Amino acid sequence: MANNFAFSLKSTLAKFDIELPEIATKNLVNDSRTIDKGDIFAAVDGTYLQGTKFINKAIAQGAVAVIAQCNEKSQHGDIKYVSEQDNTAMVIYFYQLDELLSKVSAYYYGEPYKSMAVIGVTGTNGKTSCSQLIAQLLETFNSNAAIIGTNGAGKLSSLQKIDNTTPGPAQLQQLLAQFKSENISTVAMEVSSHALSQNRVDSDIIDVAVFTNLSRDHLDYHGDMESYGLAKQKLFSGSEEQVWVLNVDDEYGQRWDQQLNPANPRILYSISSKISEAQMIRSNSKYLSAGNIKCHSRGVTFDLKSSWGEVTVTSRLLGRFNVANLLAAIAVLLNQGYELAEIAQNCQQLTAVDGRMEAFTAPDKPTAVVDYAHTPDGLEQALLASKEHCDGELWVVFGCGGDRDKGKRPMMGKIAECFADHIVLTNDNPRSENPESITADINNGILAKQKVKVIIDRQQAVISALQQAKKDDMVLLAGKGHEDYLIIGEQTLPYYEREVVSQFYQRGLN
């Protein structure tokens, strides 16, 4: 993307008391692998890697300037010139760059977030669905919307792959600048706990912060649930104008509603009548509540009561948890001034997000549901949702990731035993671990061993379950969702579960 931004490197760093000569630069980049000639490399010392170790590599690739993190405040603003191969670059030392790179990037790219509504969605489960449902709904009103998240960045019709659910601060601001040039009016972005704890996202750029839920995940990184929750909570620390959309069915949503800044306007949502009368009548609080939820073969129907009125909503989405996701998306559009009756009507046009409770079927065949569920709560919700739409027996095919939180494995096995009639344990990114050891850990949580079959090869496990299931049965394929790979050892192998399932049904029709 060409550099047509209002702020130069000189004027950007002047805001941080660093005086520079003017220098022609292109993009600000904090991943040395993506450096092009003329770029600026932000060498940040992160959780796992020290960016300062890649300065010479970045200069060799053509960086004309480096903003390098330093440990001593007295070094802030120091400049030296470094030559590598045929290129010489200015290296500018910056104290606490890891904490301030979001602001540096925003200034450099001309604060593009000010030209659009930025919706930040955080939570263990539902981030992808909520952000895409927001964008889908906005598109039904012919609004120019984009997303940033697990499935990519851009308009829904032209998503570009990105490496992380939430990009680094420089890439994030670059994307927002690109969206500004495309006249995007609203961006719905997933905000991960890693991004928040690593200061990749500054809450000041978020106009509406959405919380979906919090359950066990990423404890290998955060250590415990309290630390995990505190990381998520950082999203809700913007100005007093920042609007909060909180799921108060969740313990953390209820807690944050009571404990965080009382001045911030908030929209509370619930599918379990967890909103009190006191919460409903607060001057800065609005609400949405779903009741009379009916799951059927065509999707879900529910009655919506809210501060904006009452209406019946029908959607092709599967599962009660998708009703919660819908409430969050509807809350965002109501906050933007769209009419409730029109939103409800347009909900009928919504389609399942790729790999999120996405159903596949054919005549005289079982229904397969591909879902990304890879946490205990996610698996439970996906199984409960599948059970409500299933007329026969329920199958589940899943595994657990290697080199990750081992404590959740028997928990997920127990959950599968509670809700599924048949369990097929298989691979899900075993990485450096022995796949049989992972499935054994899951199996330790299952008492009814007669329900269990272990087929390590993932594709074989999926095909086997679909072949054995009867036409009224449902087969939940959990864990891979939208992903198009399996990580086995040090190899990343192509594997796209949605395609495997689609081809299975196509073969049956031919």
Side-chain angles (χ1 to χ4, degrees), residues 3 44-45 125 295 305 308 384 400 417:
N3 183 349
V44 176
D45 288 344
N125 302 308
C295 298
K305 294 182 179 180
W308 292 265
L384 283 169
C400 287
E417 179 183 12

Side-chain angles (χ1 to χ4, degrees), residues 324-336:
N325 292 335
L326 264 177
L327 290 185
I330 291 169
V332 170
L333 267 76
L334 288 168
N335 182 69
Q336 290 197 334

